[in-house]
Amino acid sequence: MRTDVGRSGGMFRRGRQTTEAGPVGHELLQQRSPNSERLRSGPPATVAVSVLGIDADGLPRGATELLAGAKVVLGSWAHLEAHAPEGARRIELAQPGTAQFDQAIGDLGELSEEDGPAVIITSGDPGFFGIMRALRERGVRTGKVLPGVSSVQRLLAKLGRSWDDVLVVSARGRDLRRALNVCRARPAVAVLTDAVAGPAEIGAGLTGWRRTLIVAEDLDTPDERISVVDPPKAAKRRWRDPNVVLCLADPEAVPPRDWCAGGDPTPPAGGWGLPEESFAHRDGTVSKAEVRALALAKLAPRPGSLVWDVGSGAGALAIECARLGAAVIAVEPNPVQCMRIIANAATHGVDMRIVENEAPAALVGLPRPDSIFVGGGGPEVVAACAAVGAERVVVALTALDRLGASRDALRHSGYVVDGCQLSANRLATMSDGASRFVGTTPTLILWGRRKTS
């Protein structure tokens, strides 16, 4: 990290600070936020730091005047070389999350008002997966913020596609796995990348899912390149930084008009624990709604997580997990049932990967799940699933003699095990209009939660 900034202390003056534009945003939020103590964590800076976002059109309107008066400028070395005024102190910003980045932001916390004004130059919109979060976390007082256009907006504009249906996720740092699971679950996802979580890693993680990747390298530069590839091809290529990835289930689809950016939110409007008649199934081969409702509570499917449904049958549980935002792999050996899963998934507007094979052999090579539902296969399959290392495993049994072996398999793999017998008596109407209760087949539900140290 290059820096020649002198360190100086200075007490932060509490109270409402104002600038030409009115109250300073961070301090106004401190007064109104219920988490104001957290926002004040760390030594707050006395100098107000302005933030400029650069896009294809260069500096935003008003940036030239801010830079002209700046005594301290932070940014990438390329941004500093291009835009920092002569005589200004320079701090090179590394990637967020690195020690160099933390040190540079920490230096801001020791600047007095006499050391400023200070300006940060960054790319795109600094409030959109950008530096604004880091500044607020460290109590840095911000002045003017002039955003540019984000890389996601620029890419979608070049493609001539609306993007209010596109969910935006970050694969940076340790978030690649969660980003991949969102790409596996949602039809349109934009992924912000870095040097260790880029198009090749995303392609490798999506192999086996029907997805098209649109990769934009060096956007709005003479070296710009936009490529349309499938996941296996993306995994084998070398890609230039910086880049952004758009992952689509159907590149030609026109998204429906909606009210919420990023697609329909979860949980779904129709709720969960859907009635059996919501799914095409062979008589007696679909899990009961009460069983699915309890299983969902123990599996905790959510955006960013991956669920295996082993012994999926007609796919009812798998579809319920997908409707709650999780990525899903349905494992089912019966080809007729696999066709039912495809039809049911289409009916409910969700997507999942289907593995037509018998467990435990079918589990080899699959990406590691967060949760597993075992709906068939016996203790051998339970043991194989427990050995994978998922956070949660739920097992549905109708045969009492399999209870002990299944419980022991979970315990042996380090799970804290609990369970219950679920027997529902449903209200039914008789021919004369009177009501009575009709019992459903009792089901044993085991669930295991991995021990935490």
Side-chain angles (χ1 to χ4, degrees), residues 52 82 85 94 134 141 269 287 316 328 346 363 374 382 388 393 449-451:
L52 313 178
R141 183 164 62 97
S287 54
V328 180
L363 311 180
V374 184
V382 175
V388 170
V393 178
R449 183 81 182 267
R450 182 159 291 283
K451 294 177 182 177

Side-chain angles (χ1 to χ4, degrees), residues 238-378:
R238 295 178 65 89
W239 301 92
R240 299 193 304 263
D241 289 320
N243 58 66
V244 62
V245 176
L246 179 63
C247 175
L248 299 173
D250 182 358
E252 302 302 321
V254 177
R257 186 179 300 275
D258 215 331
W259 64 278
C260 182
D264 282 336
T266 56
W272 51 92
L274 300 176
E276 292 89 275
E277 55 266 26
S278 299
F279 307 95
H281 61 91
R282 193 176 62 215
D283 287 346
T285 62
V286 64
S287 54
K288 295 295 185 286
E290 294 83 2
V291 171
R292 277 181 274 116
L294 177 59
L296 290 168
K298 301 304 179 183
L299 292 168
R302 60 203 181 278
S305 67
L306 174 63
V307 179
W308 288 359
D309 181 10
V310 181
S312 188
L317 191 281
I319 289 164
E320 296 253 36
C321 290
R323 293 178 74 245
L324 289 167
V328 180
I329 299 177
V331 178
E332 172 55 49
N334 187 318
V336 176
Q337 291 285 57
C338 288
M339 294 301 295
R340 288 194 177 98
I341 296 173
I342 294 171
N344 285 325
T347 297
H348 290 278
V350 298
D351 189 18
M352 66 186 67
R353 180 176 172 184
I354 301 171
V355 178
E356 187 182 317
N357 198 0
E358 192 90 40
L363 311 180
V364 177
L366 297 182
R368 183 173 64 84
D370 298 278
S371 304
I372 304 175
F373 179 76
V374 184

Side-chain angles (χ1 to χ4, degrees), residues 56 150-163 214-221 224-226 244 246:
S150 73
S151 59
V152 174
Q153 289 173 290
R154 283 149 48 203
L155 172 57
L156 271 296
K158 288 177 181 291
L159 298 176
R161 188 189 189 280
S162 62
W163 70 288
I214 301 175
V215 183
E217 304 165 272
D218 295 315
L219 268 175
D220 297 316
T221 72
E224 176 185 288
R225 180 171 65 184
I226 298 178
V244 62
L246 179 63

Side-chain angles (χ1 to χ4, degrees), residues 109-132:
E110 300 187 19
L111 297 179
S112 69
E113 289 184 338
E114 290 73 23
D115 294 315
V119 175
I120 295 175
I121 308 174
T122 186
S123 296
D125 184 346
F128 187 71
F129 290 94
I131 198 170
M132 296 306 300

